[in-house]
Amino acid sequence: MSQPELPGWRWGPFTFRLPFYHTKFYWPEALQGLFIAAATGLALVPLMTAFFGLTFEEAIAVSMIHSILIGSALIFFGEPYAPGWITPALPFVLAFVIGNYEDPAMRFQAMTAVSLNFAFLLFFLGITGLGKKFVFWIPDTLKAGIILGAAIAALMRVFVEDAERFLLQQPIAITLACAVCLIFAFSLPMQRLKEKYRFFAILGSLGLLPGFFLAATVGPLVGEVSYDIQWGILIPPVGDAWAKVSPFAIGWPPLEMFIASMPLALITYVILFGDLVTGNEVIREGLQTRKDEHIDINPTRSHLSLAIRNGLMGILAPFFPTQGAMWTGVHVIIMQRWKQGKQAMNSLHSGLASYYLMGIPLLFFALPLLTGLQPLLGIALSLTLVLTGFACAYVAMSIPKNNTSRGAVVLIGAGLAFFEPWVGLLFGIATTLLLVGWDRNPDPIPHED
C-alpha cells in the first residue's frame, strides 16, 4: 500500500507546493537543470532574433516568461511530469508562421492564434472530461505505436532533418555528450559499476551533467565550440519584448488567422497526447519499484493546467509550442534516481521542482552564464532529442505482450514519424484494429479509482 502523495495546498483540481517548504532541494537535479534546461530553453533565441525581429536581450526576456510558465506546471498546478516543449510540433509551427507571414508582428499574432486555439481545445477536452476518457480508452498497441513514433521522429530530427545545423557542425561534442549520458542513464554494465563503486554512483546521480560538461570541455579543443563570455548582470527587457510580441501591444490576430491555425492546434494535440501517454507509462513503470509514494495522475487536471499555461503564453509571450506536458529525456533521468528509493529522493515532486530550480528563473539574469551557454545550444537540443528517442523506444517496446502487437507497433511508429500526423494516426488505428484488435488495458492509469 503506497503512502499518500506529497502534501500541498489544494486549489480546485490543482495542488500548489511551496518550494523548500513542501518540496526538498536536491543539488544534483538543480545543477542539471541550471545548465541543461537553460541551454535547451535558450535554443529558441536564435530563431527569435533571425525570424521574429527581437534583439538577443528581448529574446531572453521572452524565454524567461516561457521558463516561469513551464515551472508553474510543478509549483502551481502539481503536475507529476517534467514539463517542456511539444518539440515534434515545432517544425510544423515554424513552417506555418514563417512561411505564411513576412512581418514579425504578424508572425507573433499567428503564434497567439495557434496558442489560444490550442488552449481552448485543451480546456474543452478537460472540462468535459473527454480528454480523460480518450487517455483511458486508447488500446495498448496504438499507445505503444504513438510512443515509438515520437522516438523515431526525435532521432530523425537529430540524424537527418537538422543534421546540417547541429550534428555536422559539432559532431565530436554531440556524440560524446549523447554517448556518456546514455551510458550513465541506461547502461546495464554501468548500473553494476554504480552499485559497486561510489565514484560511479556520484557521477550517475548527476544525470545529464557529466556528458554535457565533457562536450563543453572537449568542444573548444577540437574547434567545434568557441566561447565569448561577457560579464555582468542582464535585466531582461520584459517591457520592450512585450511591445513587440503581446497582442495587447501589437493587436489581436484576425479571425482568418484563428481559422487557418486550427488544424495546427489539432495536430499538436495528437502529439501532446503521445507525451501524456508516455508520461503515464514511465510513471507506471516507476511505481512498480517505488511503492512508498502515491503519484496522482489526473488527465483532466493536466488538460486544464496546459490550457491555462498556453492561454497565458499566447497573450504574454506567444511562441508555440513551448508549453507542453513533458520533457521525456529529463523526466526519465529524474525517474531513474527516484526509483533508487526514499534515501535518494524523498518524492518525485521534490526531484522535479529541484530540476526546475524551484521555479526561480535565476539563470536569465546571469550574463556570463547566458553568453557561455550560447555556443552549446545545439548540443543541448541534440542531447535532449537522442535521450527522448531512446527513452520512448524502451517504454514503447515494453508495452506489447505478443509478437503481432510488436510488429504492429513498429508499423504504427513508422507511420506516425513519416506521414502527416492525422494520416499517421488513422493508419495507426487501422493497423491496430486489423492486426491486433482493440487491446485496451483495463487499468490504464495507476492508482486511479
Side-chain angles (χ1 to χ4, degrees):
M1 184 71 182
S2 66
Q3 299 299 310
E5 191 171 38
L6 189 73
W9 297 324
R10 295 297 299 267
W11 61 289
F14 311 117
T15 303
F16 177 90
R17 292 186 176 89
L18 186 66
F20 303 106
Y21 178 70
H22 292 117
T23 53
K24 285 187 178 180
F25 183 77
Y26 289 100
W27 67 267
E29 279 65 39
L31 269 180
Q32 292 176 70
L34 182 63
F35 293 101
I36 305 294
T40 309
L42 293 172
L44 291 181
V45 167
L47 291 173
M48 286 190 261
T49 55
F51 299 109
F52 290 82
L54 299 187
T55 65
F56 176 75
E57 292 78 12
E58 289 164 351
I60 293 293
V62 170
S63 292
M64 182 180 76
I65 295 169
H66 293 163
S67 174
I68 292 168
L69 287 172
I70 284 174
S72 73
L74 310 168
I75 312 300
F76 288 91
F77 298 110
E79 288 288 86
Y81 317 106
W85 303 344
I86 313 170
T87 310
L90 188 60
F92 298 120
V93 177
L94 293 176
F96 169 75
V97 173
I98 296 171
N100 291 322
Y101 306 100
E102 290 292 330
D103 180 52
M106 290 191 73
R107 287 176 174 175
F108 276 117
Q109 284 181 334
M111 286 291 191
T112 292
V114 70
S115 300
L116 295 182
N117 276 339
F118 190 60
F120 174 78
L121 180 65
L122 286 163
F123 183 77
F124 172 76
L125 291 172
I127 210 78
T128 59
L130 291 174
K132 184 175 182 177
K133 288 178 181 174
F134 195 39
V135 174
F136 278 16
W137 280 93
I138 187 167
D140 274 359
T141 297
L142 182 58
K143 180 193 299 181
I146 288 172
I147 300 170
L148 190 64
I152 297 169
L155 295 174
M156 276 177 60
R157 182 137 301 281
V158 176
F159 296 111
V160 181
E161 293 166 1
D162 282 341
E164 284 188 18
R165 190 180 304 166
F166 298 119
L167 184 61
L168 298 180
Q169 299 274 339
Q170 301 171 305
I172 296 171
I174 288 174
T175 303
L176 269 178
C178 293
V180 170
C181 289
L182 282 171
I183 289 166
F184 273 105
F186 301 109
S187 164
L188 296 178
M190 178 55 69
Q191 191 63 40
R192 291 191 283 272
L193 285 174
K194 285 194 280 190
E195 289 167 5
K196 196 171 179 182
Y197 301 107
R198 182 169 166 75
F199 170 75
F200 290 107
I202 293 171
L203 269 184
S205 73
L206 293 173
L208 306 180
L209 215 49
F212 190 64
F213 270 138
L214 185 63
T217 307
V218 172
L221 301 177
V222 294
E224 293 179 0
V225 173
S226 177
Y227 295 109
D228 179 21
I229 297 173
Q230 300 169 30
W231 299 96
I233 295 173
L234 173 70
I235 305 298
V238 175
D240 294 344
W242 169 278
K244 289 186 178 180
V245 308
S246 172
F248 290 106
I250 63 174
W252 291 85
L255 180 61
E256 55 266 26
M257 205 177 266
F258 279 104
I259 294 169
S261 62
M262 180 51 85
L264 194 55
L266 292 169
I267 287 168
T268 306
Y269 181 75
V270 175
I271 296 166
L272 173 79
F273 176 71
D275 285 342
L276 286 170
V277 168
T278 304
N280 292 345
E281 289 304 314
V282 171
I283 291 174
R284 185 187 184 91
E285 185 205 38
L287 285 167
Q288 294 173 7
T289 306
R290 191 73 190 264
K291 300 183 185 298
D292 63 307
E293 182 178 17
H294 171 64
I295 300 297
D296 179 32
I297 295 176
N298 185 329
T300 301
R301 179 197 61 215
S302 297
H303 278 73
L304 294 176
S305 68
L306 283 160
I308 294 169
R309 284 167 51 210
N310 276 278
L312 287 172
M313 183 263 291
I315 60 175
L316 296 174
F319 208 98
F320 193 78
T322 58
Q323 300 302 316
M326 193 180 69
W327 184 354
T328 309
V330 169
H331 187 71
V332 170
I333 290 290
I334 295 170
M335 287 289 295
Q336 292 291 96
R337 211 160 87 86
W338 177 68
K339 280 158 59 176
Q340 292 172 17
K342 202 159 191 169
Q343 73 285 352
M345 189 180 288
N346 78 315
S347 166
L348 178 60
H349 294 288
S350 292
L352 291 168
S354 296
Y355 194 95
Y356 290 82
L357 301 178
M358 301 298 197
I360 304 163
L362 295 173
L363 160 89
F364 296 92
F365 298 93
L367 195 57
L369 203 51
L370 290 170
T371 52
L373 285 170
Q374 228 174 334
L376 305 174
L377 301 183
I379 297 170
L381 198 56
S382 300
L383 174 59
T384 303
L385 289 168
V386 168
L387 282 173
T388 297
F390 188 90
C392 285
Y394 92 68
V395 170
M397 298 316 293
S398 71
I399 295 172
K401 299 295 188 291
N402 57 65
N403 288 337
T404 303
S405 181
R406 289 184 192 100
V409 165
V410 173
L411 279 179
I412 296 165
L416 283 162
F418 299 141
F419 303 146
E420 293 292 318
W422 284 116
V423 177
L425 189 65
L426 290 173
F427 173 75
I429 292 168
T431 302
T432 303
L433 285 170
L434 294 170
L435 294 181
V436 183
W438 204 255
D439 59 333
R440 188 176 73 87
N441 189 328
D443 178 28
I445 305 294
H447 304 301
E448 187 75 20
D449 296 324

